[in-house]
Structure formats: structure tokens, C-alpha cells
Amino acid sequence: MAHDEPSKSAPQTKLVIRNIGLLLSGDLAHPVLDADTVVTTGDRITAVGKQKDIDTSSATVTIDAKGTALAPGLIDSHVHPVCGDWTPRQNQLGWIDSYLHGGVTTMISAGEVHTPGRPKDIVGLKAMAIFAQRAFHAFRPGGVKIYAGAPVLEHGMVEADFKELAAAGVKILGEVGLGSVKDGKTARQMVSWARKYGIQSTIHTGGPSIPGSSLIDKDMVLETDADVIGHVNGGHTALPDDQITALCERSTRALEIVHNGNERAALLTLRTAMELKQLDRVILGTDSPAGSGVQPLGIVRMMSLLSSLGEIPAEVAICLATGNTAKMRNLDCGMIAPGREASFVLMDKAQHSAGKNLLDSIQKGDLPGIGMVIIDGAVSAHRSRNTPPATGVPEVVK
Ligand SMILES: [Zn+2]
């Protein structure tokens, strides 16, 4: 759903990032690349390799990474935006810009469900979805890309509604189960209509999130067969262990683990996916803003939780928040390779971490220090105001 992002207004700037100490690809198949330089033109990566082998001449901007690590910009697979950079859930301003300082460059809406007075009639919910898609396409707080316009299913929707939504540019559904459709049969029909017209679906999993929402158990998740098993670790209330393992084993859909979920269930999901050799299905989100607030560092906290307690290499945990999500969500960000979106996060181990280096510090449960965030080939943030300070910080030298 990212392929309609022309960079009409952006001049074709050539960005060279050199002296990268560790290049994290975002690709589970080979998470670390033997390279120290990335070149971008406009909003695309054009070269990745050793500096001596790459044409770094006539750069518009040159960044000395100072030996720090470069990874794809992080993707939050599950957010609930409303309008602009405001959330009424906890009445906060500037929350998306704060996530940028947690390394997030892309967000995917699981429904603009916190909108005060959210319309539940069909013409109203369609209008709101189209409005949200348009508004967040045109307005990027801090440069963060927000894929929004995610209608929730209500009874009475017919195939023509999905066709109309798709034709208007709507590409994702809000969490199935947050509207009036709470039975597997109706949900399955609507999800299949959505899929027919290229609209991706996510289902709420587990107990009710807040008063007014409701339980969705494994039988409804399996019957509905949405593309993403949203917060498989609950949001917060998780399903019993045997239901979570059944979802891992009996479905092939994406397994989304969220920050605002049950941490023990997150680790169970991770272990089960590894036993099945299906780690490529695991993707990360925050499920925020929510009752537990906003989490600017939610995605890096998930990476550290899963790496330290789930005992997976840090470079693998980073893939769950980047390349895995990009593949499952059909986005062209999330991986470091020519042709992909030029969005990056530069990190180093936090000052005074007990870890030997960045990866070891994450494996020990510390958060990385973020030194710079780049979106579409342009610097969006310098040293993060939210993470612990990075030991080494990249510098714009030209
Ligand atoms: Zn939910």
C-alpha cells in the first residue's frame, strides 16, 4: 500500500551515509550486511556496500555515522490515530512526533476508533475512513508516514461498500470486532469482500480492551481469517495459552505482538512461532494510544523485551519491527536494499549500558540510544529527545 508515494516536491537530493559501524538489513534471511555505506537518491536507496566500491561523489548531503548502527526506520503495525498529531484518548498533543524520537518512521492505523462521535452508520463510516486516509496522506507529523483510513465493520455493509472504499483509496480495515460485527460468519464474509478489492484486514484478539469492546476468541479469529491476527498477545487481556498456540499453528496469517498487551503471552507467541520455524509471521505494534497511554519508545521496548527475555539475537528482533512488517503489510520500507524507501534509524548502545555493543545491550534488555532518524532521504530528527543518550551520534558533515 506504499506504492503511491510520489516525491513530487522533493528534489532528487543525493544523500551519502558513510562510516556505518553495523548495517542491519531488516531482512530475517540475512539481518546483518557486510557494508559501511548507504546512498540514497530522492526517497529511494540507490546503493549499499563498502565505501570504496560505491560512487559517493557529488552528494547533496553527507552524514558521518561515526561507527554507529543503521537500521530501517521502525514500523508500528498497530496505532489508533484520530486527527493530526492529537489523540483524544489521553488528550495528548504531539504523540506521533514523539514516536519519531523512538525510531518510528511508519505507522499503520488499526482504526480511527477514538474519534469523538465516531459515525457508525455506513455512509458516515465510509466518509470518515476516506477523510482519514486523505488527511494523514497529506500531513505527516515530524515526517512520519501514517497509513490511515481504516473503517471498522458494522452490520449492513455490502460488497459494493468495499468496492467503493477501495476505489476511493482505502487500503486497510480497522480491527474487526471493534464495530457491531462480532460474529465469525459475517466478519469472514466482509473480510473476504475487502480482500477481493485489495483492502487488508486485522482482527482484535483476546478480551475487551476498554469498556464497550468485547472478547474475540480463537474460533472467531480462525473463522474470520483476517490478514493480521491483531495483538495476538491481547490488548491487554490475552487468550488462554492453548488458544494462542492454536492460532500460531492453525493459521498462516501475521502474528502481531503489541506493547500494550500481555508480555508473557508475547513471549509464548514468539517461542511458538520459532518452534514452527515461522518467525517471519511475527510483527510488532504498540496498540496505542490506549488506556495505558502513548509509548514513544514502545517499538524499541518490544525489541528489547523479545530479545532479552525471548532470547533472540537483537538483529533478529529488529527484523520483527521492520522487514517482517513491511512484507506482511506490502510496504516498500523496512529493508536496506536498493529500490527500497530511504527511511532509517541510526542507533548506538546507550551511554553506560552494560552491553559490549548495541546488539549486546539490547540482548541485555537495555534500550538503544537513537542518534538520528531519516525519512525519505531527509533527516527528520537528530539525537532523540526520548531514548537514553546514544554513545556515538552521527553528524551531518556536508
Ligand atoms: Zn484491539
Side-chain angles (χ1 to χ4, degrees), residues 297-356:
L297 305 184
I299 296 295
V300 288
R301 281 170 55 83
M302 291 298 297
M303 286 165 19
S304 289
L305 172 85
L306 296 176
S307 180
S308 58
L309 299 183
E311 299 182 324
I312 57 171
E315 63 270 30
V316 169
I318 290 165
C319 294
L320 311 185
T322 54
N324 275 15
T325 317
K327 279 186 200 164
M328 287 293 175
R329 296 288 193 174
N330 306 315
L331 297 168
D332 59 4
C333 55
M335 282 203 255
I336 306 300
R340 307 286 295 204
E341 182 184 302
S343 296
F344 315 114
V345 55
L346 288 104
M347 302 177 281
D348 198 6
K349 78 167 182 170
Q351 291 176 14
H352 303 291
S353 167
K356 290 192 294 287

Side-chain angles (χ1 to χ4, degrees), residues 40 42 49 97 103 215 260 282 290 296 343 371 398:
T40 75
D97 189 71
L215 168 72
N260 286 343
V282 176
S343 296
K398 183 199 166 187

Side-chain angles (χ1 to χ4, degrees), residues 78 175 178 204 209 231 287:
H78 194 129
E175 279 174 79
L178 298 191
H204 173 98
S209 303
H231 54 63
D287 191 5

Side-chain angles (χ1 to χ4, degrees), residues 100-159:
L100 170 72
H101 283 255
V104 172
T105 58
T106 299
M107 295 178 163
I108 298 153
S109 174
E112 297 80 37
V113 289
H114 301 151
T115 303
R118 168 167 69 91
K120 294 173 180 164
D121 64 299
I122 292 162
V123 69
L125 75 87
K126 287 192 292 189
M128 191 180 90
I130 295 164
F131 160 75
Q133 187 275 330
R134 296 289 189 280
F136 282 108
H137 184 77
F139 176 64
R140 294 179 180 169
V144 176
K145 296 189 178 184
I146 301 136
Y147 295 99
V152 295
L153 300 181
E154 302 286 357
H155 276 292
M157 293 179 79
V158 296
E159 179 173 346

